[in-house]
Amino acid sequence: MSQEEVRPVDTTVPDFPRLHARTQGFSLGVPRSLTVASERTLFLRGDGDRPEQALWCLDDDGERLLADAASLMPADLPEDIPAEERARRERARERGSGIVAYATDTDADIAVFALSGKLMVCDVATGLTEQLAVDGPVVDPRPSPDGGMIAYVEDEALWVVRADGTNAPRMLARDSSPDVSWGLAEFVAGEEMGRTRGYWWAPDGRSLVAARVDTGPVHRWWIAGPVDPDARPVQIRYPAAGTPNAEVTLALVDLGGNRIDIEWDREALPYVADVVWTAAGPPLLVVQSRDQRRVAVLSVDPGDGTTQVLVDDVADPWIELVPGSPTRTPDGRLVRVVQADDTRRIALGTGADQQLLGDPDLMVASIVCTSDDAVTVTAHVRATPWCTVVATLGTDGTTTVLSDPDGVAGATGRPDRLAIVQRRLSDTTTTVTVDGVALTSNAQEAPELPVTVVGPVGGGDTPASLLLHPSGWTPEDGPLPVLVDSYGGPHARRVLAAGAAHLTPAWFAANGFAVLVTDGPGAPGQSVSWEAAIHHDLAGPPLQGQVDALHRASQDHPGLLDLDRVGIRGWSFGGYLAALAVLRRPDVFHTAVSGAPVTDWTLYDTHYTERYLGVDATAAPYASSSIIDDAPALTRPLLLIHGLADDNVVAAHTLRLSRALLEAGRPHEVLPLSGVTHFTPNEAVNANLTALQLAFLQRTLGLDAPS
């Protein structure tokens, strides 16, 4: 992994930014959203350069198309997406169209999905898809485990209908208040907890656990569309740090609409992280304290809604929520991820019977599935945190790695039938196999760019980084201008053993830069203590991590990096990091492109921000981590970019910093993106943004732009 990889020159490379945007990073056409049943596997797939997704099935007859939007909807009818579904897609960073989500019964005999708010049911065996006669618009439809009923959300109420359409829809839960919804995930659940749903079927299909969300206490914010003065501003409920969250309660609801409230200490544990209900036992409720130092797993009595504490974990400075945790083995034992040995391991059972599974050199990232004698997980390799493997951890102490240990892999499925998604550093493709059978990918092949990739290096107690530079460079050519192209914050890695993850940095390198991508303190995969290094300080450790990696790369590659011409770019936390860099370390960074930056942490959401900076938004960590007051220190070129429709990092972040810079007399540039949210699927916007950033960096570093 530490050797140099030289990618040959290809003079036929087309307009790369536009091609990258059109193919969504060459990911369009890769099978996704897999559901693995005992006899078949369902998945979504489209063409390599179109965002429309279709539903497919793999069974004994091979791959076959089940449903696509083109055949189900009139071609001249534009897609009509309900507001709740738009919000779900924004939280999930969904950039596709057509059939972008679906759900199945246990055996995947039927698949249900919403198309322009209409409820569609597909008989998987025959491929026949029909629209059920419900009013709609329908949001998040899900069949019961036996396939007999379908639940869905309509007008913020929870409904149910027979899957064969033989009865009229029945409303199960509704509230008279316009601030209350049933069956939907609240903002912080979808944005920060990874929970995008608000109801869960019982294994027997006779009842559900449903979430009631009251946004009444949440502060009202407004997002305007300045390019259309006739349009009214859109109201959103945004739980900024230190302000009230939505009030979330849960109830058991049967098919007759009878309701039993689920009881727990909501004052101490207000966050509903997940609900898990399998045939192996009663429902599990995962709840979390607001300061996120405590996570409890409760067993729910489906008869009266009372709860019993199974485990109550407490740890400093916070406890990370891990996908798939907790769950049960088929014989009913609790399985969860716990922090131990400065890593995350699988805990099987509770109390004196608890057993830790797996190699401490792995850091569990998710639970995939369980059997009575093993747990299948995805896990970071701590020695090489840019690698993620699929592994089975046995109760006998064995660890069996099922994927390429030098790549990045994910998985879904069952112990006897597993789907593995595999990427490698040596190429830009993604392979998807189900029980060893490869699914067809329609993804376009990425063009080979004339760059050399060095690394990754680091890990342990040092930042992990990857260096890219034009192929053929020699010391006689002189040092290259440097672009630091990092995210740099918690919860996400940029340094990955996956070639497709580094295509845009490679394009900047092909345009004459030495590009450094670094995951510093706070990034996942190295250790719990490494992640916790940013506690109460989102500025110092991440910024110092970038500086340390830059100096290390310069020492390791004498003559390659021109430390007098260093630019930095980033988006979201990376945008914050870029602005932070030129404000606080102008001796190191000479120009910056800051996209959608968080500039004032009191304006960002509760669950993310309070995890790192504390629940008191007036406390010192907020002031020291925010950058508005740093505005008078700007002496370097700075380009601020922000989508005016962004409801995650609202445009006020950039506008407040710009105002402070203007009041301090500090020149800077601002690029507002009309109608654009935190991420945009628009090909032209994405392509032109990349090109404009290159032009800005070349201009402000005194470089000659290529013709």
Side-chain angles (χ1 to χ4, degrees):
M1 297 298 296
S2 62
Q3 73 273 18
E4 293 192 357
E5 176 197 347
V6 180
R7 298 180 182 175
V9 177
D10 184 349
T11 58
T12 66
V13 174
D15 178 2
F16 177 83
R18 188 166 295 275
L19 184 59
H20 189 271
R22 181 180 307 140
T23 61
Q24 294 182 10
F26 303 95
S27 67
L28 290 177
V30 175
R32 47 165 275 199
S33 304
L34 286 85
T35 299
V36 180
S38 59
E39 297 181 359
R40 56 178 64 98
T41 298
L42 271 60
F43 58 95
L44 299 179
R45 184 176 60 203
D47 293 330
D49 61 354
R50 297 176 59 199
E52 294 84 5
Q53 302 294 302
L55 181 62
W56 289 76
C57 175
L58 171 71
D59 55 20
D60 291 340
D61 296 326
E63 297 179 18
R64 55 191 175 92
L65 176 65
L66 293 178
D68 68 333
S71 62
L72 295 173
M73 301 294 293
D76 59 347
L77 187 65
E79 193 172 17
D80 184 15
I81 304 174
E84 296 90 345
E85 171 64 9
R86 289 186 185 277
R88 186 200 68 80
R89 294 187 186 190
E90 181 66 20
R91 303 285 74 79
R93 308 294 187 259
E94 175 61 66
R95 296 186 293 169
S97 60
I99 304 171
V100 299
Y102 69 97
T104 74
D105 61 331
T106 299
D107 294 327
D109 290 328
I110 68 167
V112 303
F113 53 91
L115 201 57
S116 285
K118 298 175 174 58
L119 178 55
M120 315 299 291
V121 181
C122 175
D123 184 306
V124 174
T126 65
L128 178 63
T129 300
E130 295 182 317
Q131 178 185 337
L132 290 194
V134 302
D135 290 338
V138 167
V139 177
D140 194 25
R142 296 176 184 269
S144 58
D146 62 5
M149 308 294 291
I150 299 172
Y152 60 92
V153 177
E154 175 191 324
D155 194 23
E156 300 192 321
L158 184 62
W159 295 71
V160 69
V161 66
R162 287 192 62 85
D164 58 12
T166 56
N167 75 325
R170 183 185 307 124
M171 184 169 57
L172 300 183
R174 181 178 226 161
D175 201 285
S176 59
S177 170
D179 296 328
V180 175
S181 66
W182 280 91
L184 296 173
E186 74 277 20
F187 177 91
V188 293
E191 186 65 43
E192 307 299 354
M193 298 184 204
R195 176 172 66 80
T196 59
R197 63 191 299 181
Y199 68 90
W200 299 262
W201 276 103
D204 62 7
R206 296 179 181 178
S207 61
L208 309 94
V209 171
R212 179 185 184 272
V213 176
D214 183 356
T215 60
V218 183
H219 289 185
R220 294 174 174 85
W221 285 4
W222 302 86
I223 294 180
V227 296
D228 186 0
D230 290 335
R232 301 182 68 176
V234 176
Q235 177 183 285
I236 64 171
R237 298 292 189 127
Y238 195 92
T243 69
N245 277 306
E247 295 181 353
V248 181
T249 55
L250 296 171
L252 290 147
V253 185
D254 67 20
L255 298 186
N258 301 303
R259 213 158 65 219
I260 301 173
D261 291 336
I262 296 176
E263 302 171 3
W264 80 95
D265 187 352
R266 290 178 46 241
E267 184 175 351
L269 299 161
Y271 284 128
V272 176
D274 203 1
V275 175
V276 180
W277 201 349
T278 72
L284 299 175
L285 172 58
V286 187
V287 286
Q288 186 182 44
S289 61
R290 178 143 180 176
D291 65 9
Q292 300 178 55
R293 290 182 168 92
R294 181 182 173 198
V295 174
V297 180
L298 314 178
S299 178
V300 181
D301 186 330
D304 60 12
T306 59
T307 56
Q308 175 187 359
V309 177
L310 298 182
V311 292
D312 194 348
D313 292 327
V314 178
D316 285 326
W318 66 81
I319 298 177
E320 198 77 26
L321 299 175
V322 177
S325 174
T327 187
R328 294 186 191 271
T329 58
D331 62 11
R333 287 172 293 168
L334 185 68
V335 180
R336 74 192 201 279
V337 176
V338 297
Q339 297 177 177
D341 306 315
D342 204 23
T343 185
R344 293 194 179 89
R345 302 184 66 185
I346 291 295
L348 174 62
T350 59
D353 296 328
Q354 179 174 295
Q355 178 185 4
L356 292 180
L357 304 184
D359 189 335
D361 291 335
L362 296 180
M363 190 167 185
V364 175
S366 73
I367 297 177
V368 178
C369 57
T370 67
S371 66
D372 287 339
D373 55 8
V375 179
T376 301
V377 303
T378 63
H380 301 287
V381 181
R382 293 181 63 191
T384 54
W386 44 85
C387 298
T388 303
V389 298
V390 179
T392 296
L393 315 180
T395 57
D396 59 359
T398 60
T399 297
T400 304
V401 175
L402 306 175
S403 63
D404 184 347
D406 293 328
V408 174
T412 188
R414 310 147 49 97
D416 60 339
R417 198 159 183 259
L418 205 62
I420 295 180
V421 180
Q422 181 73 65
R423 295 184 291 166
R424 296 175 174 85
L425 184 62
S426 58
D427 59 53
T428 59
T429 61
T430 300
T431 59
V432 182
T433 57
V434 181
D435 201 18
V437 176
L439 295 179
T440 302
S441 174
N442 295 332
Q444 285 196 25
E445 185 177 353
E448 293 192 0
L449 297 169
V451 300
T452 297
V453 182
V454 185
V457 298
D461 294 327
T462 61
S465 59
L466 183 79
L467 182 65
L468 307 93
H469 63 79
S471 59
W473 176 89
T474 65
E476 290 73 25
D477 297 325
L480 296 173
V482 182
L483 173 61
V484 174
D485 190 6
S486 302
Y487 178 78
H491 253 229
R493 292 201 70 87
R494 284 286 310 280
V495 180
L496 297 169
H502 310 296
L503 283 167
T504 297
W507 182 76
F508 279 95
N511 278 278
F513 285 88
V515 181
L516 188 66
V517 184
T518 297
D519 289 326
Q526 294 183 213
S527 66
V528 172
S529 57
W530 181 258
E531 294 175 357
I534 59 172
H535 185 229
H536 283 178
D537 188 357
L538 286 171
L543 180 55
Q544 189 59 46
Q546 301 298 315
V547 174
D548 291 346
L550 182 63
H551 290 160
R552 182 183 64 192
S554 179
Q555 294 168 4
D556 292 347
H557 305 279
L560 175 60
L561 307 184
D562 185 348
L563 297 186
D564 291 327
R565 295 184 296 175
V566 178
I568 182 170
R569 68 184 285 268
W571 198 269
S572 197
F573 191 98
Y576 161 72
L577 179 68
L580 178 74
V582 290
L583 286 167
R584 297 195 184 175
R585 292 303 303 268
D587 57 316
V588 176
F589 300 96
H590 307 99
T591 185
V593 176
S594 171
V598 178
T599 64
D600 181 348
W601 285 103
T602 66
L603 293 180
Y604 201 58
D605 73 57
T606 51
H607 195 267
Y608 181 98
T609 314
E610 293 173 2
R611 181 187 312 136
Y612 307 119
L613 299 182
V615 296
D616 181 3
T618 66
Y622 281 83
S624 62
S625 296
S626 299
I627 58 176
I628 302 296
D629 291 343
D630 292 292
L634 182 66
T635 58
R636 300 296 191 184
L638 172 61
L639 171 61
L640 298 167
I641 307 171
H642 219 119
L644 298 182
D646 195 335
D647 68 349
N648 178 19
V649 183
V650 294
H653 285 275
T654 281
L655 297 178
R656 286 189 180 186
L657 178 58
S658 178
R659 179 178 64 187
L661 290 168
L662 181 61
E663 290 173 347
R666 301 303 180 189
H668 62 286
E669 300 179 32
V670 180
L671 176 59
L673 306 176
S674 301
V676 171
T677 59
H678 199 54
F679 294 92
T680 175
N682 185 282
E683 175 186 329
V685 170
N686 275 325
N688 291 331
L689 265 181
T690 305
L692 286 169
Q693 291 178 61
L694 174 64
F696 176 84
L697 292 165
Q698 290 170 328
R699 169 167 55 87
T700 54
L701 289 175
L703 308 176
D704 293 329
S707 59

